[in-house]
Amino acid sequence: MGRDALTVPLIAARAGVTPSTVYRRWGDLRELLSDVAVERLRPEAPPADHGSLRADLEAWAVQFAEEMSSTAGAAYIRDALLGDPEQGNAARCSDYAAEQLKAIGVRAAGRGEAVPGVETLLDVVVAPLMYRILFRPGDLSEDYTGHLVAAALGRLAPPPAPPAASPPAEAHKS
Amino acid sequence: MGRDALTVPLIAARAGVTPSTVYRRWGDLRELLSDVAVERLRPEAPPADHGSLRADLEAWAVQFAEEMSSTAGAAYIRDALLGDPEQGNAARCSDYAAEQLKAIGVRAAGRGEAVPGVETLLDVVVAPLMYRILFRPGDLSEDYTGHLVAAALGRLAPPPAPPAASPPAEAHKS
DNA sequence: CGTCGGACGCAACTTCTTCGCGTTAAGCTG
DNA sequence: CAGCTTAACGCGAAGAAGTTGCGTCCGACG
């Protein structure tokens, strides 16, 4: 069935209820789609353990980029952003990513690795990916994702030791 | 008039045409609003010259953040993203920012300053701002914007000399 | 057992959306 | 300049979607 041919009466018929029931519960097709999108964007499993912070982050970021840049993923993001007056659903999406990154972080900290803060990871890895997905379609590559992770690891926390590798200066070019 | 009470027949009446004319030209209310939003988001003037790359970037980023995080600005961004099947309008928004940053960059290069690439600036400054505006409303401060600019300047280009200051390690915390 | 509240179906009503037809105006050709 | 072509618009009807009030059913509570 067509993506934007979806209407409340169709959904109601599929659900075996009358359209008025759907309108009363959600009030709007966009709000319903927004709730559905958030549900679909919820991660199903904790991030996989690949033995190191870098490997975990790269694997997670690549999977994240693939999911979100797919046709379906991008549609979900847009739906989640749209029918959402108080931005509650959008914040939930960000929280999902933050939870996953947090899990990766505590696991790495348990190994004794230096770990960037969740805020830093959101800024350096998630935000650029999302920005490209939303505003610059077709501009994503696995190399780029790896570059973002490297940039995040270039901003490590002061506690344990000085950062081993120097930050990649001006890596990525248009 | 109410924001989402806007309908095609209302716009047509205001424009002095029949609704069918509007439907034929745009096909959809969302596409019309998307075009309007892009027009409103177009920068009116080149970025102001404050004498240094850092000052120019900070001023531009602060103004950008203010505009985009305002109620009207956020609504425009959402409209631009929404009614836009081929993502042409979203790409245009990104191009606007890229043009402004490019102008700041060439001006700084004319002064002999080391300049981060436009891609880097989009990743490090624009993307985090947009991500917060879209996914984490109410999470923007001027300090944060300055922090982003500082992070961008921490990633300078290799040509002139090795980066003077070390990158700010793990500055910003939730 | 009686009452209350919430949720739903039903149906009428309003508004939006689509589509075909006739008209008008601009541009081009002979 | 006359005639033709094309694109855009107005008009009106038909179809679909969105909105609302009323009656009914079912579970909860006293």
Side-chain angles (χ1 to χ4, degrees):
Chain A
M1 157 176 313
R3 172 72 187 77
D4 46 358
L6 204 57
T7 65
V8 171
L10 281 178
I11 296 172
R14 174 72 87 88
V17 297
T18 59
S20 59
T21 299
V22 178
Y23 283 119
R24 267 189 275 259
R25 285 190 81 81
W26 278 279
D28 196 345
L29 175 62
R30 297 182 325 196
E31 296 183 28
L32 191 158
L33 289 179
S34 182
D35 288 348
V36 172
V38 171
E39 195 59 30
R40 303 290 220 126
L41 290 173
R42 167 179 304 179
E44 290 135 8
D49 189 340
H50 289 85
S52 75
L53 173 62
R54 174 179 296 267
D56 284 0
L57 279 181
E58 283 184 352
W60 181 85
V62 166
Q63 185 190 347
F64 181 83
E66 278 178 4
E67 283 183 15
M68 297 303 185
S69 65
S70 70
T71 306
Y76 287 142
I77 297 174
R78 289 149 141 250
D79 287 345
L81 282 177
L82 240 73
D84 189 14
E86 316 88 359
Q87 296 277 97
N89 282 344
R92 209 158 325 185
C93 292
S94 178
D95 289 342
Y96 289 157
E99 287 171 16
Q100 298 280 94
L101 291 172
K102 181 85 179 170
I104 291 178
V106 301
R107 196 161 57 201
R111 296 191 199 104
E113 297 186 80
V115 176
V118 172
E119 293 293 324
T120 299
L121 291 174
L122 285 176
D123 282 349
V124 179
V125 177
V126 177
L129 287 175
M130 267 305 179
Y131 184 76
R132 286 177 122 83
I133 289 167
L134 288 175
F135 292 95
R136 308 176 66 186
D139 246 15
L140 272 184
S141 72
E142 196 151 329
D143 282 354
Y144 175 68
T145 306
H147 157 66
L148 292 178
V149 171
L153 294 180
R155 290 207 220 170
L156 281 181
S166 66
E170 187 53 20
H172 175 274
K173 194 67 186 256
S174 167
Chain B
M1 158 175 312
R3 172 75 187 76
D4 45 358
L6 205 57
T7 66
V8 171
L10 281 179
I11 296 173
R14 176 72 87 88
V17 297
T18 58
S20 59
T21 298
V22 176
Y23 282 119
R24 265 189 278 256
R25 286 190 81 81
W26 279 278
D28 195 346
L29 175 62
R30 296 182 326 196
E31 298 183 28
L32 191 157
L33 289 179
S34 182
D35 287 348
V36 172
V38 171
E39 194 59 32
R40 302 289 220 127
L41 291 173
R42 166 179 303 177
E44 288 136 8
D49 189 341
H50 289 85
S52 75
L53 173 62
R54 175 180 294 269
D56 283 0
L57 278 181
E58 283 184 351
W60 180 86
V62 167
Q63 183 190 348
F64 181 82
E66 280 178 4
E67 282 183 15
M68 297 305 185
S69 64
S70 70
T71 306
Y76 286 142
I77 297 174
R78 288 150 143 251
D79 288 343
L81 280 178
L82 240 74
D84 190 13
E86 315 88 359
Q87 296 279 97
N89 282 343
R92 210 158 326 189
C93 292
S94 178
D95 289 342
Y96 289 159
E99 289 171 14
Q100 299 279 95
L101 292 171
K102 181 84 178 171
I104 291 177
V106 301
R107 196 161 58 201
R111 295 192 199 102
E113 298 186 79
V115 176
V118 173
E119 294 293 323
T120 300
L121 291 174
L122 285 176
D123 283 349
V124 179
V125 177
V126 177
L129 288 175
M130 269 303 179
Y131 184 76
R132 285 176 123 83
I133 290 168
L134 288 174
F135 291 95
R136 308 177 64 186
D139 246 16
L140 272 185
S141 72
E142 195 152 330
D143 282 354
Y144 175 68
T145 306
H147 156 66
L148 293 178
V149 171
L153 295 179
R155 289 206 220 169
L156 282 182
S166 66
E170 188 53 23
H172 175 273
K173 193 68 187 250
S174 169

